Amino acid sequence: MSDPVRAVRPLLSTRAVLGEGPDAGVPAHYGAPLREQRHLLDGTAVVDLGHFELLEVRGADARSWMTTITTQVLTGTPVGSSSSLAVLSPQGRVEHMASAVVLDEDAVLLVLDPGARAGLRHYLEMMRFAARVELTDRDDLRVLGALSPAPEVLPQLGLPAPLAVWSEPWPQVAPGGVAYGPDPEDPVGAVLTIFEAAAIEQLPWQSADLAGMSSWEALRIADHRARSAREVDERSIPHELDLLRTTVHTTKGCYRGQETVAKVLNLGQPPRRLVMLHLDGSQDLPAAPGGEIRLGGSEGKVVGTVTSTALHADLGPIALAVVRRAVPLDAGLSVQVPMGEADGETSSVWIDASQEPIVLPREHGGRPATARL
């Protein structure tokens, strides 16, 4: 279970409407979510990701040690380079995910979803043994999200030089990676710019400089990017969420959970698959994470769960969901929208949804022919 979301002061509180769930610590929007999303897409606004947590791993063995105990290769990568990584259980389940930046030859900075740092730190401390590393919570840092480094997006604001910038060429398959499905249409990517918190919190922020977390989530969903705080549950294996594309290096040495990764990659296929849903917006009923997905109407069989939802400026209402592998790619689905509680029972309505494949079953190209370990 994740720790409570740590409290942060929004960069701009005027008209701010705070988010929910893991994003309760920052504004969902500032009164005009779709306009804010346009500014984010136009490269004229940033998103306050001050609730993201940071952990620094420093020491002579930092990069080699992290390569050994995670799914990613950090040894020999250039200073300033970015990657995504995960820690798996012995059974290959996803336990932790992070974005990683190589700060210098002896240090890696990890950016994590809110509430995720304590669990990862506990695991790393257990695995330290004789490794020459030190772990430091970096609550003195703050993250801004955008489609380019924040100083390029807001040159007029006078942002200081960042400590680090995380970026990866999504959806390009990373070295050692394997794609389990098609690339998203018109991907926009994501850039995390990391600053000393005190240096940016006192700047004269204006509402036009900022887009809310709802905008960030809309672009993430449209880009088909799984998020630890939303898409990962106790059953998740990397293949189901297309994490082998950038987060799991399939040709590196041994790591915990590698046997499951190899077996499913080379001999089997994942039991579930990530999809993007295009939701019927005609009823103006917003879906929410946790809603059931049924096959062929409200009386049909439950085949999955909604994990993330958003209103996209161009695509309308969209969602990410995890469904059973056997659900036909062209099947019409129904998504549950809870409407409140009456007489001790929760009432729901159902809206129609169509699929945009992210992870494909093997018969549709979901098992890469060239994969090897």
Side-chain angles (χ1 to χ4, degrees):
M1 181 179 295
S2 296
D3 289 347
V5 176
R6 66 189 183 99
V8 292
R9 186 177 67 181
L11 294 176
L12 183 69
S13 59
T14 305
R15 298 198 305 275
V17 177
L18 292 181
E20 298 177 348
D23 301 320
V26 294
H29 62 83
Y30 301 88
L34 293 184
R35 185 168 66 219
E36 295 162 24
Q37 193 179 140
R38 290 289 186 200
H39 291 165
L40 185 60
L41 283 166
D42 292 342
T44 58
V46 301
V47 179
D48 180 6
L49 302 178
H51 61 325
F52 279 22
E53 298 179 335
L54 297 107
L55 178 65
E56 183 177 307
V57 183
R58 180 172 289 278
D61 297 331
R63 296 171 70 183
S64 59
W65 179 64
M66 290 293 291
T67 298
T68 300
I69 63 175
T70 74
T71 59
Q72 194 53 266
V73 172
L74 296 173
T75 52
T77 54
V79 171
S81 62
S82 306
S83 60
S84 300
L85 58 82
V87 172
L88 308 181
S89 73
Q91 295 75 37
R93 312 284 183 193
V94 179
E95 291 190 340
H96 308 284
M97 289 172 56
S99 302
V101 183
V102 179
L103 290 179
D104 56 51
E105 293 294 345
D106 296 326
V108 177
L109 186 64
L110 305 177
V111 184
L112 300 106
D113 258 325
R117 181 175 60 189
L120 176 58
R121 177 167 183 150
H122 178 69
Y123 172 75
L124 295 178
E125 288 173 340
M126 290 195 305
M127 298 300 294
R128 181 159 47 184
F129 303 114
R132 296 169 294 172
V133 296
E134 295 293 334
L135 306 175
T136 303
D137 293 348
R138 295 300 305 270
D139 288 336
D140 59 317
L141 304 179
R142 192 166 187 139
V143 182
L144 298 181
L147 305 188
S148 302
E152 298 177 12
V153 176
L154 300 174
Q156 76 282 2
L157 194 60
L159 288 164
L163 176 72
V165 176
W166 178 92
S167 176
E168 61 182 11
W170 180 268
Q172 179 178 320
V173 178
V178 172
Y180 254 78
D183 292 349
E185 293 185 13
D186 303 319
V188 297
V191 175
L192 307 179
T193 312
I194 302 155
F195 297 93
E196 297 284 347
I200 66 168
E201 289 172 354
Q202 304 304 317
L203 293 175
W205 293 93
Q206 302 295 321
S207 58
D209 300 329
L210 294 163
M213 193 68 192
S214 63
S215 297
W216 186 256
E217 284 290 273
L219 303 193
R220 177 184 68 84
I221 292 170
D223 267 4
H224 299 176
R225 299 181 71 127
R227 180 182 172 191
S228 174
R230 291 298 191 186
E231 277 64 57
V232 174
D233 62 24
E234 68 280 356
R235 298 166 51 200
S236 298
I237 61 174
H239 319 63
E240 296 176 333
L241 305 178
D242 204 19
L243 297 183
L244 273 67
R245 184 184 291 265
T246 59
T247 305
V248 179
H249 196 296
T250 63
T251 61
K252 71 187 289 285
C254 293
Y255 56 91
R256 194 170 73 161
Q258 185 191 30
E259 183 178 352
T260 296
V261 171
K263 186 178 295 184
V264 175
L265 181 59
N266 292 317
L267 301 175
Q269 53 183 324
R272 303 181 300 173
R273 58 185 180 85
L274 185 67
V275 298
M276 190 176 94
L277 300 179
H278 293 269
L279 305 173
D280 176 14
S282 62
Q283 301 182 60
D284 195 25
L285 296 172
E292 286 184 354
I293 299 173
R294 299 197 176 205
L295 184 62
S298 61
E299 302 301 320
K301 186 176 183 179
V302 176
V303 294
T305 304
V306 174
T307 56
S308 299
T309 63
L311 180 63
H312 192 279
D314 295 317
L315 302 177
I318 56 176
L320 290 181
V322 176
V323 300
R324 296 182 183 181
R325 180 189 66 229
V327 174
L329 297 180
D330 58 353
L333 302 175
S334 295
V335 173
Q336 179 191 35
V337 179
M339 296 299 291
E341 211 171 281
D343 299 326
E345 294 186 2
T346 300
S347 61
S348 301
V349 297
W350 297 81
I351 58 176
D352 295 335
S354 60
Q355 303 175 61
E356 184 172 319
I358 297 177
V359 171
L360 293 172
R362 183 198 306 176
E363 60 269 25
H364 294 279
R367 179 174 180 266
T370 58
R372 61 184 180 86
L373 285 179

